[in-house]
Amino acid sequence: MRRNDPVDLFTPQRQSIAAILIILVKFGRNMIRQFWPILIVLFLNRKGSREIAIGIAAGLFGLISLFGSIISYFKYYFYIRNGELNVRRGVFRKVSLNVPFERIQSIDFEQNLIHQLFGVVAVKIDTAGSKSSELEIDAVSKDVAYALRAYILKEKAAIKGTSGEVEAEPDLSEEKELVLSLGPADLLKIGISQNHFRTGIIILGIFMGFAQDLGDALGFDVFDKIGEEVGQMLQAGLLFIFIFIPVFIFISFLVTLVRTVFKYFDLKFWKTRNGFKLVSGLFTRMEKSMQKEKVQIIGWSNNPIKRIFGIYRLRIYQAASVDVVGNKSMIIPGAYLPQVKETISSVVPGSVGADYEQHGIDPVSRFRFIWFFGLLPLLILSGVAWYLGQNSWYLAWAYLPVSIWMGHQYYVKRGFQLHPEYFISLGGIFGRTHKMIEIFKVQAVKVSQGWFETRRDLATIHIYTAAGEISVPYLPLEKARQLQNYLLYKAESTNRHWI
Amino acid sequence: MIFKNNQVDLGQLPEAESVVFHPLPITYRNILLISSGVFFVLLLIGIVSLFLLVPAELPVAMEWALIAWFILSAIAIGRILIAFPYKGYAVRERDIIYKKGWLWRSVTTVPFNRVQHCDIKQGLLERQFGLSSLNVYTAGGQNSDLTIPGLDYQMAEKYKAYILKTISSDEEE
């Protein structure tokens, strides 16, 4: 093994020299993120004599961080010994980490602009289960990174092999088949059809945080100022609705479009011999790989705009600790149905086009939906508005028919599909969502009943996997219990490896 | 039959509901009552001393605070008393089941062949009464983990040993 390997992984080695710059940038970015309110204040109240002091301070600060980056670069070593990945680092406090190969869940690469410039990659290693679950090597040359991954995966397979578990060979060959790649036209479609509402909320959140920090820095409450403005607009009631909301939606739309291009630029998704590989990003190139057998949940969904374009958002979840499960999943924001099917059938052959039993949820669910997402908020809103003396509150009731329609959609689309080996949960209001699992991978099952469900003899089933939970509410209790017993039976009567 | 498509006869499947659930020992209920009681007594002391120390004339506010305290503590204590009989657990050949809840009921089952490890924890009060909680962990995170509280310490040890033995024999197969 070692003979075939041109890269020596066994003697302690430093990162690529480019790591100094990357550490420096990372450090600087963190500092700016922490102290930017101070920076703004300094820039806003500048006076002659102060400027020099600030200049000196900034220079000193820059020097110290440069010095710090260089030292931490020289103090960082990584190597492989005794089936463990070892990292020694630390300037004042020495840290020595050994990660046994069998604990390593995944090895991913990432490249930002600097990485791309120097032809190096950052290596991210996830060790599920432990608390500090990610180990990161800031910058190594591509050769080293690929050799490291190949070696660890190979050894991991050997360990599993000796313990009697059947596991496919890891992917050492670069043989792969392109499932899809996204061009500019696809990116535009995806950008248009993303969830702008969610972006809106994120923008609002960032703005709130920003306003808070800015207020703290400048010594007045930004929210008060905005409150005054908005209060005046609210007096004009409709003005608010007809100007603020469209502007907000437009900004959300632009931001989503830009984010989409940044994140999914030149996305390529391959099938490899026993897994998947995903590369994407404009300034930061991400490379993720996943082994098929680690896949726990496959989700695909659309919305009305995606439906017009005929695309789905495809997401593949693998077993991971809760705090990183989001990072460890692969997202393909726009895939056509044949590509979705190709992906699914390469993980679970035979599941596409199989015979599924279709099960819906109890019709009473639509009234519950209308109550919780329609009537109740409207009543509260109207009450508050009436109390405050707003006289245009009844306009909000135009939402009621919308919520009735949404409740009906919810009832019609929610449910599940069952096959002896597979389970697909269905849902969606405007679009459709699907989440599929292989039943033998179930880790726990819960049947729960709220007081409403208890009265109506209904129940919710929660199916837990190593990558999260799937649930279906408002099922007849008897059906939920039978489903529970069946899922448990399938999980308990197998000794196939599931994570 | 609801699922016609299955190759197994659903009527033959073991049913998680028909098992006999062991109730949790009554001592555990008392522990819950004690810790809840301590919390509310401390809260009461807090409320009273706040009104004694702050020299504002707020007798009405004091009354309301006491009424709120009374209602909240009554609900908390009442909930423990009513909901306690709904808690129960069962250990089967291949899985462990925990049920709970009066208004919000749930029955959770974790197959042994999906358990990563298990341990026993004892709080301060639990140790005084010789009780402990059995924790069963699965891969991937907390949401599918199972905790059975208020078990007799010896029993918990036995269950733990049983589960660990089952896990290791599964791996040998």
Side-chain angles (χ1 to χ4, degrees):
Chain A
M1 206 167 300
R2 201 167 168 176
R3 270 164 294 144
N4 304 342
D5 217 326
V7 185
D8 181 13
L9 300 167
F10 305 95
T11 44
Q13 61 174 309
R14 298 200 176 100
Q15 306 175 74
S16 156
I17 192 89
I20 296 181
L21 192 59
I22 287 155
I23 298 169
L24 184 65
V25 168
K26 211 158 98 174
F27 188 74
R29 214 170 37 199
N30 275 340
M31 290 312 260
I32 290 172
R33 200 174 289 157
Q34 296 281 320
F35 295 115
W36 67 267
I38 297 176
L39 296 179
I40 284 191
V41 170
L42 288 179
F43 272 102
L44 287 183
N45 333 323
R46 62 170 110 194
K47 285 171 194 155
S49 61
R50 261 198 187 176
E51 235 165 52
I52 303 162
I54 293 169
I56 293 173
L60 214 67
F61 171 74
L63 263 179
I64 292 172
S65 12
L66 180 64
F67 194 61
S69 316
I70 294 172
I71 295 201
S72 64
Y73 163 76
F74 279 106
K75 290 286 179 190
Y76 190 108
Y77 292 96
F78 65 95
Y79 55 96
I80 285 171
R81 188 163 296 164
N82 302 331
E84 292 181 335
L85 176 66
N86 290 260
V87 171
R88 277 194 281 135
R89 63 175 160 81
V91 184
F92 300 111
R93 204 165 56 94
K94 300 270 180 212
V95 180
S96 162
L97 291 168
N98 342 356
V99 186
F101 289 164
E102 62 262 32
R103 289 242 318 275
I104 293 177
Q105 294 296 315
S106 66
I107 304 168
D108 293 329
F109 302 145
E110 201 176 294
Q111 283 187 298
N112 64 28
L113 269 184
I114 306 170
H115 286 106
Q116 289 181 50
L117 213 60
F118 288 95
V120 294
V121 296
V123 182
K124 296 189 161 185
I125 293 165
D126 178 37
T127 57
S130 56
K131 264 189 184 153
S132 55
S133 54
E134 259 204 356
L135 180 74
E136 193 173 336
I137 305 176
D138 281 313
V140 289
S141 74
K142 274 187 178 168
D143 294 342
V144 176
Y146 282 105
L148 190 71
R149 181 166 71 179
Y151 183 81
I152 291 176
L153 289 181
K154 203 166 172 181
E155 288 294 299
K156 235 173 98 77
I159 294 167
K160 288 211 167 164
T162 53
S163 70
E165 281 162 14
V166 190
E167 188 170 13
E169 279 272 300
D171 232 339
L172 301 177
S173 59
E174 282 296 296
E175 123 196 10
K176 57 195 178 191
E177 185 191 330
L178 191 67
V179 177
L180 68 95
S181 65
L182 299 179
D186 299 312
L187 279 180
L188 190 65
K189 282 184 193 171
I190 292 163
I192 292 170
S193 64
Q194 290 289 66
N195 190 341
H196 300 291
F197 184 65
R198 195 171 51 200
T199 317
I201 301 229
I202 294 171
I203 294 174
L204 213 60
I206 293 172
F207 173 74
M208 305 258 253
F210 179 78
Q212 189 83 51
D213 286 349
L214 193 66
D216 289 348
L218 298 179
F220 66 83
D221 193 343
V222 178
F223 289 111
D224 269 0
K225 297 251 160 167
I226 298 169
E228 281 168 29
E229 297 293 320
V230 172
Q232 277 166 12
M233 277 197 262
L234 270 178
Q235 294 299 320
L238 295 176
L239 184 74
F240 173 75
I241 294 173
F242 286 115
I243 293 183
F244 184 73
I245 292 180
V247 167
F248 187 67
I249 290 175
F250 183 68
I251 294 175
S252 303
F253 175 76
L254 279 187
V255 171
T256 332
L257 206 60
V258 171
R259 263 169 54 99
T260 305
V261 173
F262 278 13
K263 211 167 160 195
Y264 301 117
F265 183 77
D266 193 26
L267 178 143
K268 287 197 167 63
F269 179 58
W270 291 276
K271 273 196 302 195
T272 53
R273 199 145 49 88
N274 41 41
F276 300 107
K277 190 173 160 178
L278 180 75
V279 177
S280 75
L282 181 58
F283 295 117
T284 301
R285 292 292 281 174
M286 296 257 279
E287 183 188 320
K288 283 183 181 175
S289 45
M290 193 185 284
Q291 281 170 275
K292 271 178 213 167
E293 62 173 20
K294 292 215 180 291
V295 173
Q296 302 287 320
I297 305 174
I298 305 176
W300 65 105
S301 61
N302 67 2
N303 59 33
I305 303 172
K306 280 197 158 62
R307 196 166 60 207
I308 293 170
F309 295 133
I311 56 177
Y312 287 86
R313 175 190 159 92
L314 176 66
R315 188 163 182 179
I316 310 172
Y317 299 77
Q318 66 176 327
S321 46
V322 171
D323 45 333
V324 295
V325 77
N327 298 330
K328 291 292 142 196
S329 66
M330 280 186 176
I331 297 177
I332 294 114
Y336 295 99
L337 197 56
Q339 296 163 336
V340 172
K341 284 182 176 168
E342 186 183 350
T343 309
I344 298 170
S345 60
S346 89
V347 182
V348 266
S351 65
V352 174
D355 224 3
Y356 289 91
E357 267 182 63
Q358 185 93 20
H359 296 270
I361 58 174
D362 195 271
V364 79
S365 58
R366 77 182 106 185
F367 301 115
R368 294 274 288 175
F369 185 97
I370 295 165
W371 169 244
F372 278 114
F373 297 100
L375 268 178
L376 192 63
L378 278 175
L379 284 174
I380 293 171
L381 190 74
S382 306
V384 172
W386 177 79
Y387 182 76
L388 294 177
Q390 296 285 332
N391 44 17
S392 51
W393 56 268
Y394 53 85
L395 282 172
W397 285 81
Y399 167 66
L400 187 63
V402 179
S403 76
I404 292 174
W405 178 81
M406 282 162 67
H408 182 70
Q409 292 297 309
Y410 174 78
Y411 156 65
V412 170
K413 289 175 179 168
R414 200 84 170 92
F416 65 91
Q417 288 181 320
L418 189 78
H419 175 273
E421 305 296 331
Y422 322 113
F423 177 92
I424 303 177
S425 106
L426 307 169
I429 292 164
F430 299 105
R432 277 181 189 279
T433 62
H434 311 251
K435 276 186 170 182
M436 174 178 178
I437 53 168
E438 281 183 275
I439 293 176
F440 83 94
K441 294 193 170 184
V442 167
Q443 290 202 133
V445 183
K446 178 163 96 178
V447 172
S448 74
Q449 292 182 289
W451 62 271
F452 176 86
E453 285 178 318
T454 310
R455 258 189 355 204
R456 296 256 174 174
D457 251 350
L458 297 174
T460 302
I461 190 149
H462 306 258
I463 303 167
Y464 299 96
T465 72
E469 176 197 343
I470 292 181
S471 63
V472 184
Y474 304 116
L475 296 173
L477 181 61
E478 191 48 35
K479 193 187 261 193
R481 283 181 170 167
Q482 284 197 20
L483 184 58
Q484 161 198 256
N485 292 333
Y486 181 68
L487 297 173
L488 289 171
Y489 157 75
K490 291 300 279 187
E492 288 169 9
S493 61
T494 179
N495 50 12
R496 279 171 76 185
H497 196 66
W498 82 106
I499 47 173
Chain B
M1 191 149 71
I2 298 171
F3 306 123
K4 303 181 293 285
N5 204 14
N6 298 331
Q7 76 274 57
V8 283
D9 181 4
L10 275 168
Q12 301 296 314
L13 287 184
E15 290 171 7
E17 294 73 34
S18 61
V19 296
V20 182
F21 283 94
H22 299 287
L24 297 181
I26 212 78
T27 335
Y28 178 59
R29 190 195 70 186
N30 298 340
I31 290 181
L32 290 178
L33 287 175
I34 291 171
S35 49
S36 183
V38 168
F39 172 78
F40 279 104
V41 168
L42 287 178
L43 192 65
L44 183 64
I45 294 172
I47 292 171
V48 172
S49 51
L50 186 72
F51 282 107
L52 291 181
L53 292 177
V54 179
E57 294 164 32
L58 292 167
V60 185
M62 173 98 176
E63 261 170 39
W64 279 109
L66 287 180
I67 290 172
W69 174 86
F70 181 76
I71 293 174
L72 282 179
S73 52
I75 290 175
I77 305 275
R79 204 183 62 104
I80 293 172
L81 291 176
I82 297 173
F84 189 78
Y86 288 90
K87 293 185 205 289
Y89 68 95
V91 177
R92 299 195 294 183
E93 213 175 307
R94 288 171 181 274
D95 53 28
I96 184 162
I97 312 174
Y98 180 59
K99 72 167 179 130
K100 65 170 187 202
W102 161 49
L103 284 179
W104 284 272
R105 296 176 190 177
S106 71
V107 180
T108 310
T109 315
V110 180
F112 290 140
N113 62 351
R114 295 289 176 263
V115 173
Q116 295 288 312
H117 69 285
C118 69
D119 63 21
I120 296 173
K121 287 193 175 124
Q122 271 191 315
L124 201 68
L125 270 174
E126 284 181 317
R127 198 172 323 148
Q128 293 303 313
F129 289 92
L131 296 185
S132 58
S133 48
L134 179 70
N135 297 291
V136 175
Y137 302 95
T138 54
Q142 304 91 339
N143 59 5
S144 54
D145 296 347
L146 188 69
T147 297
I148 299 179
L151 281 181
D152 178 69
Y153 187 75
Q154 312 296 333
M155 291 282 272
E157 282 284 7
K158 274 184 199 158
Y159 285 130
K160 184 185 150 196
Y162 176 70
I163 293 171
L164 290 178
K165 204 184 86 196
T166 317
I167 299 173
S168 59
S169 68
D170 268 359
E171 274 169 7
E172 276 162 24
E173 273 166 23

